[in-house]
Amino acid sequence: MLVYTDLLSGDELLSDSFPYKEIENGMIWEVDGKWVVQGAIDVDIGANPSAEGAGDDEGVDDQAVKVVDIVDTFRLQEQPPMDKKTLITYIKKYIKAVTPKLEGEKQEAFKKNIEGATKYLLSKLKDLQFFVGESMADDSSIVFAYYKEGATDPTFLYLAPGLKEVKC
């Protein structure tokens, strides 16, 4: 199994259990999330409730909760919305932090394509949600999420150069 950690904070942000599609010259990974129900366990013990005198409203309320699989699996923490100026400031800070950690061709590709990736994110700004890893480190990578038109499940966007592949 492969886990992708944040190059800056070390937080686990993604794994190969969630397939991604490269967009914006490979700068952004697009990953489909899903709403899942957690905690709703229906156990059939073989008893016949009608014969046991159980009504429809009897039983245990097991507090089922709907969560987004990626957010729950990697314990992502939602952040407040950003305006254009805040996002651009973040991207500039991110470029300064990530660039020295990249080598050779990766560094050149990053410098060449980050502007296009930034424009792509800015074009979706009003629809984006912002998440960071579990540590909530100030200098960490941000994971972006939005809902495609007509979609009921979120799509997540990762800045790929800020991810480090770790084999588990």
Side-chain angles (χ1 to χ4, degrees), residues 47-55:
N48 182 352
S50 60
E52 303 288 328

Side-chain angles (χ1 to χ4, degrees), residues 19-142:
Y20 64 86
K21 180 176 97 180
E22 290 186 359
I23 57 174
E24 293 300 314
N25 295 312
M27 291 298 293
I28 296 176
W29 288 359
E30 185 178 78
V31 183
D32 293 330
K34 288 187 183 88
W35 281 99
V36 294
V37 178
Q38 221 182 34
I41 302 170
D42 185 16
V43 179
D44 184 0
I45 58 172
N48 182 352
S50 60
E52 303 288 328
D56 287 338
D57 59 346
E58 275 189 39
V60 178
D61 179 9
D62 55 22
Q63 301 295 319
V65 179
K66 272 183 92 174
V67 295
V68 177
D69 56 359
I70 293 174
V71 172
D72 183 60
T73 301
F74 299 101
R75 296 179 204 89
L76 299 181
Q77 306 297 313
E78 189 164 4
Q79 301 298 297
M82 291 186 183
D83 59 16
K84 182 178 179 179
K85 182 180 177 186
T86 308
L87 180 59
I88 290 172
T89 301
Y90 164 77
I91 295 288
K92 286 179 180 177
K93 187 172 122 184
Y94 178 81
I95 291 168
K96 284 181 184 171
V98 169
T99 302
K101 295 181 182 279
L102 300 174
E103 296 176 7
E105 291 176 18
K106 285 185 177 183
Q107 191 179 80
E108 290 308 311
F110 179 65
K111 289 177 181 177
K112 179 180 172 186
N113 297 311
I114 189 64
E115 187 177 340
T118 303
K119 287 178 181 175
Y120 179 81
L121 292 170
L122 286 171
S123 74
K124 299 193 172 312
L125 183 61
K126 67 179 178 30
D127 299 321
L128 291 177
Q129 288 177 278
F130 304 88
F131 296 89
V132 294
E134 185 177 18
S135 71
M136 296 181 71
D138 286 341
D139 62 344
S140 64
S141 296
I142 291 181

